[in-house]
């Protein structure tokens, strides 16, 4: 009986003593880490994509809701991630007044907004110049991309900047949208 108790105690306490050296490991090797501090000035913009598969034909809506605009917008600049290797063409980009869908309705463009689009040659930045300023009313607007998704899966973060109408015409940060490609 005494031997059985010693064996039982040995089997019960051995895993505990073996794991103690591993608990003191202060070095953490994270494969992927996100640290988005909501108080730091990072603003999350809403977006919608029709298809998240790699190499699929996709329509991406980058929304500019009333809460994202504080005044009339003269110009919108969007930075495109360098790793987003896709065939982005100016003809496949549009700006529209949008009706954001929900559970029983689809997101769709209501009115096309005439604008000039300037895409840098290396596809890292897009400048949008609407013919009339985008008003700061209760309507939502969207920048629409019709593209083929890149081969590479991952998260792609698009940053948006806006130049407001008025005295201070310096571009300021509107927010960021993070697209997921599976």
């Amino acid at each position: 009986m005494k031997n059985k108790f010693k064996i039982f105690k040995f089997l019960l306490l051995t895993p505990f003593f073996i794991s103690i050296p591993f608990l003191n490991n202060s070095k953490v090797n994270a494969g992927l880490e996100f640290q988005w501090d909501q108080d730091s000035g990072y603003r999350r913009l809403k977006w919608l994509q029709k298809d998240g598969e790699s190499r699929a034909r996709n329509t991406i809506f980058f929304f500019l809701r009333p809460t994202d605009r504080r005044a009339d917008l003269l110009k919108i600049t969007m930075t495109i991630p360098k790793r987003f290797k896709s065939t982005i063409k100016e003809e496949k980009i549009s700006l529209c007044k949008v009706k954001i869908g929900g559970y029983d309705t689809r997101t769709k463009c209501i009115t096309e907004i005439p604008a000039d689009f300037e895409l840098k040659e290396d596809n890292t930045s897009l400048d949008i110049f609407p013919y009339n300023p985008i008003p700061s009313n209760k309507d939502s607007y969207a920048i629409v991309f019709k593209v083929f998704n890149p081969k590479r899966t991952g998260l792609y973060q698009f940053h948006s900047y806006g130049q407001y109408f008025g005295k201070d015409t310096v571009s300021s940060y509107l927010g960021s949208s993070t697209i997921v490609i599976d």
Side-chain angles (χ1 to χ4, degrees):
M1 180 77 176
K2 204 171 194 182
N3 285 340
K4 288 183 182 178
F5 182 74
K6 284 184 180 180
I7 293 173
F8 179 73
K9 191 166 77 171
F10 175 77
L11 291 175
L12 185 66
L13 295 177
T14 302
F16 176 74
F17 288 123
I18 291 174
S19 65
I20 287 176
F22 297 112
L23 294 176
N24 291 332
N25 187 6
S26 62
K27 186 172 129 182
V28 175
N29 295 324
L32 185 64
E33 182 177 325
F34 293 101
Q35 293 181 347
W36 285 338
D37 184 12
Q38 294 298 330
D39 297 332
S40 70
Y42 169 81
R43 286 191 46 147
R44 194 176 339 183
L45 292 178
K46 298 290 183 192
W47 54 272
L48 170 75
Q49 65 181 10
K50 299 287 182 171
D51 195 347
E53 296 282 326
S54 64
R55 294 186 175 176
R57 185 183 307 244
N58 196 5
T59 303
I60 306 170
F61 291 88
F62 297 99
F63 297 119
L64 295 171
R65 296 172 302 159
T67 57
D68 300 330
R69 307 181 312 267
R70 66 172 188 245
D72 296 354
L73 284 172
L74 296 173
K75 174 186 170 188
I76 302 167
T77 301
M78 181 177 281
T79 60
I80 301 167
K82 290 180 183 177
R83 294 184 329 116
F84 193 77
K85 304 288 185 198
S86 179
T87 56
I88 301 173
K89 297 179 183 173
E90 290 179 11
E91 304 86 44
K92 299 290 184 176
I93 302 171
S94 63
L95 177 66
C96 66
K97 185 189 292 188
V98 71
K99 181 177 184 255
I100 300 175
Y103 179 72
D104 58 347
T105 59
R106 287 183 160 200
T107 298
K108 62 180 178 179
C109 285
I110 299 171
T111 309
E112 289 287 326
I113 306 295
D116 287 331
F117 300 96
E118 292 181 7
L119 186 63
K120 284 193 178 177
E121 288 182 25
D122 57 354
N123 286 352
T124 58
S125 178
L126 171 69
D127 291 326
I128 303 167
F129 300 96
Y131 294 162
N132 296 318
I134 296 174
S136 61
N137 55 15
K138 294 183 180 180
D139 295 327
S140 293
Y141 294 87
I143 302 164
V144 183
F145 284 10
K146 293 184 179 177
V147 296
F148 284 96
N149 287 340
K151 288 190 278 188
R152 213 171 164 185
T153 62
L155 300 173
Y156 297 96
Q157 196 167 52
F158 293 78
H159 303 287
S160 298
Y161 302 89
Q163 185 175 354
Y164 291 108
F165 183 76
K167 294 178 186 175
D168 187 21
T169 58
V170 177
S171 291
S172 60
Y173 177 70
L174 295 175
S176 299
S177 304
T178 304
I179 303 300
V180 180
I181 304 296
D182 294 328

